[in-house]
Amino acid sequence: MASHLRGQRAVENDIGLALMALNLTKFGQSISRLATNFINNLKSGLRFLNRSKIIVRILLLENQELIVNSQPQRLSNRAIGRQLGVNHQTINNELNRGTVRQLRRQKSNGKIFEYSYYIYSYEAGQATYLEHHRHSGRRRLYYSSKQFLRLADQLMLGEFDDHHYSPQAVIYKARDLMNDGTLIPKSVVTLYQWINEGVLRTSNLDLFEKPKRKHHRTHPQAKRCLGPNIAQRPQTADQRSEIGHWELDTVQGQKNGNDSVVLVMTDRLSRVNITSKIAGKTAHAVNQFFINLRQKMGTDAYYRIFKTITSDNGSEFSELTQVHDHVFYADPYSPWERGSNEINNRFLRKEITKGEAINNYSSAQIIATNDWMNHYPRAMFNGHSSMDIYRKAFYQEIS
């Protein structure tokens, strides 16, 4: 039924051309052949519609005087419908859309008399059709979602709490902040469409995580092997079946040797993040962090929370096996083996701009950013945060 209606609308959209051709006076045998061909084209599915429009324009331009000075042979709606192969009501609808009022003035004895009459205009019918089509269908949700649009812009542009949220996180956040859930799009695809259509102040350039091109490059196999390979890691760590298996990396600011770095640890199951500002990108600074952490927690609690650690082959992790019993190293040039850690590093880069000195950020700022990341609503957890998942798994483990 729906396809039939769409087909009927397509015919109505261009039926005006046929009406003009049928209501033209007899221009001669060649003109009649053009009109007949035009009708046949409409019957065969409007395959030559553009060509038919050109034909009608030529008829009007070349024979304007003949049209004005002659009386067209008016056919009934049913007769036109039979020739075009459509219902007579379709013809009636098109005539109603394209009928316009014309005004003729006549001066007599110093007075001006006005006479009105009605004619059919294809241009007017087409304009009316397009205007009706623009207002057809269900009313777009964003017309009644002004509150959500304001909130979405504030979240994505960093005007809400100085943090930038992704479109998916905006929907999760809006469900917590807004009372009327019917004003919130059900799918993040809808929100992306609104951004592309310019409905919001936010543009694609404002989005931090827009789909990026991935350039796959081949690298020569590195000769250095700092310790146990990731292939030797316990199966529970590979399967993400329990908390306590961490991925490790550092985030640099300025690479001048004098700047601090941020040590980043990510739990493989919950994606909970631990960040700390350390003195530099050295093995001593990294080891000192773990030594201090173990002294504060106690050895038993330390190894219960940090069961395994997986890092890359950076020089700052070269002596990590001296302070932790279960350290594993990813393959060289294989960041996807620590994918959760890499994604959280990109989160961190939203606040710590690449190339800016880490010394410009206080430890309190870095901790606050880390806390925001841990409570950020994630699509992979159906809107729950990493801290929600970690807390639930921790309680299950100790119970």
Side-chain angles (χ1 to χ4, degrees):
M1 181 64 180
S3 60
H4 171 72
L5 291 176
R6 285 195 297 269
Q8 182 174 344
R9 292 194 192 102
V11 174
E12 290 183 4
N13 184 25
D14 300 291
I15 202 72
L17 290 174
L19 292 174
M20 294 179 70
L22 288 171
N23 288 319
L24 292 175
T25 189
K26 296 180 179 179
F27 298 136
Q29 192 171 6
S30 60
I31 302 300
S32 300
R33 281 200 304 269
L34 289 175
T36 303
N37 291 336
F38 174 66
I39 294 174
N40 291 335
N41 288 338
L42 282 178
K43 287 181 179 180
S44 62
L46 305 174
R47 287 178 298 176
F48 305 98
L49 182 59
N50 292 332
R51 179 170 173 268
S52 301
K53 288 182 179 178
I54 295 174
I55 291 174
V56 173
R57 292 193 186 100
I58 292 174
L59 293 178
L60 293 176
L61 291 175
E62 294 184 353
N63 302 280
Q64 185 174 5
E65 183 177 354
L66 183 59
I67 297 173
V68 173
N69 295 332
S70 60
Q71 292 293 330
Q73 295 180 352
R74 181 73 170 88
L75 301 178
S76 68
N77 292 352
R78 293 182 182 274
I80 297 174
R82 281 193 295 270
Q83 294 195 42
L84 293 177
V86 298
N87 190 277
H88 65 89
Q89 186 60 43
T90 302
I91 307 299
N92 184 68
N93 294 341
E94 174 59 28
L95 288 175
N96 290 336
R97 281 193 293 262
T99 300
V100 293
R101 178 175 177 264
Q102 299 288 306
L103 195 63
R104 181 164 57 88
R105 291 184 175 89
Q106 183 176 348
K107 187 174 181 180
S108 177
N109 298 327
K111 294 182 180 181
I112 298 177
F113 298 91
E114 294 183 350
Y115 303 93
S116 61
Y117 62 98
Y118 295 88
I119 64 170
Y120 171 79
S121 169
Y122 166 73
E123 289 81 4
Q126 178 72 0
T128 303
Y129 171 82
L130 293 176
E131 181 66 16
H132 290 173
H133 183 71
R134 189 170 67 88
H135 295 288
S136 64
R138 185 177 62 182
R139 180 178 173 84
R140 299 296 295 274
L141 179 61
Y142 55 73
Y143 285 116
S144 56
S145 300
K146 302 300 183 183
Q147 179 187 0
F148 172 79
L149 296 182
R150 287 194 298 269
L151 178 61
D153 276 327
Q154 292 172 356
L155 289 170
M156 289 187 287
L157 296 176
E159 301 171 356
F160 184 79
D161 56 4
D162 295 330
H163 295 293
H164 295 264
Y165 290 78
S166 68
Q168 181 67 75
V170 165
I171 292 179
Y172 291 137
K173 197 76 174 177
R175 291 173 184 173
D176 295 333
L177 298 176
M178 293 178 58
N179 296 326
D180 190 357
T182 60
L183 302 180
I184 304 173
K186 302 299 182 183
S187 170
V188 69
V189 176
T190 303
L191 186 52
Y192 274 112
Q193 288 176 347
W194 293 358
I195 294 173
N196 294 334
E197 293 172 5
V199 177
L200 296 98
R201 290 188 292 122
T202 306
S203 67
N204 287 321
L205 295 178
D206 298 317
L207 301 179
F208 184 81
E209 284 292 334
K210 194 63 178 171
K212 301 176 180 179
R213 294 183 178 179
K214 298 181 179 179
H215 302 281
H216 299 282
R217 295 178 296 179
T218 59
H219 299 274
Q221 185 67 29
K223 297 180 181 179
R224 182 173 54 182
C225 182
L226 298 180
N229 187 265
I230 191 174
Q232 301 172 254
R233 193 170 57 181
Q235 190 174 8
T236 53
D238 292 334
Q239 296 178 348
R240 303 179 189 261
S241 58
E242 62 180 12
I243 58 174
H245 302 283
W246 299 81
E247 299 174 1
L248 183 64
D249 198 8
T250 54
V251 172
Q252 285 185 273
Q254 293 182 350
K255 301 180 180 181
N256 54 15
N258 300 320
D259 194 19
S260 301
V261 299
V262 178
L263 188 71
V264 184
M265 299 183 67
T266 306
D267 179 66
R268 284 180 55 78
L269 172 64
S270 64
R271 277 69 169 181
V272 155
N273 225 43
I274 295 176
T275 57
S276 179
K277 183 179 177 181
I278 61 176
K281 192 176 180 179
T282 63
H284 175 74
V286 172
N287 285 7
Q288 194 60 46
F289 166 79
F290 284 102
I291 291 172
N292 295 337
L293 186 62
R294 186 169 57 185
Q295 289 176 351
K296 292 178 182 178
M297 297 180 61
T299 304
D300 292 339
Y302 173 79
Y303 280 107
R304 188 166 62 247
I305 299 298
F306 302 100
K307 299 172 183 176
T308 66
I309 295 177
T310 303
S311 71
D312 59 22
N313 287 274
S315 60
E316 68 272 29
F317 305 127
S318 59
E319 301 176 6
L320 193 57
T321 54
Q322 299 177 10
V323 295
H324 199 285
D325 295 339
H326 308 290
V327 178
F328 302 93
Y329 293 92
D331 294 320
Y333 305 108
S334 304
W336 57 87
E337 294 181 346
R338 298 176 300 99
S340 301
N341 194 220
E342 293 291 340
I343 290 175
N344 276 7
N345 287 350
R346 297 208 321 241
F347 263 88
L348 197 60
R349 284 295 187 189
K350 291 184 180 182
E351 305 299 323
I352 301 178
T353 308
K354 194 169 185 178
E356 187 173 355
I358 302 296
N359 289 334
N360 295 339
Y361 299 89
S362 65
S363 296
Q365 287 177 299
I366 295 174
I367 292 174
T369 300
N370 185 75
D371 184 65
W372 169 72
M373 291 169 56
N374 286 337
H375 291 86
Y376 188 90
R378 296 193 178 230
M380 64 183 304
F381 297 138
N382 197 24
H384 295 287
S385 67
S386 298
M387 186 58 70
D388 294 334
I389 303 301
Y390 187 88
R391 188 182 296 113
K392 180 180 178 181
F394 180 80
Y395 289 145
Q396 290 178 348
E397 190 171 292
I398 65 176
S399 60

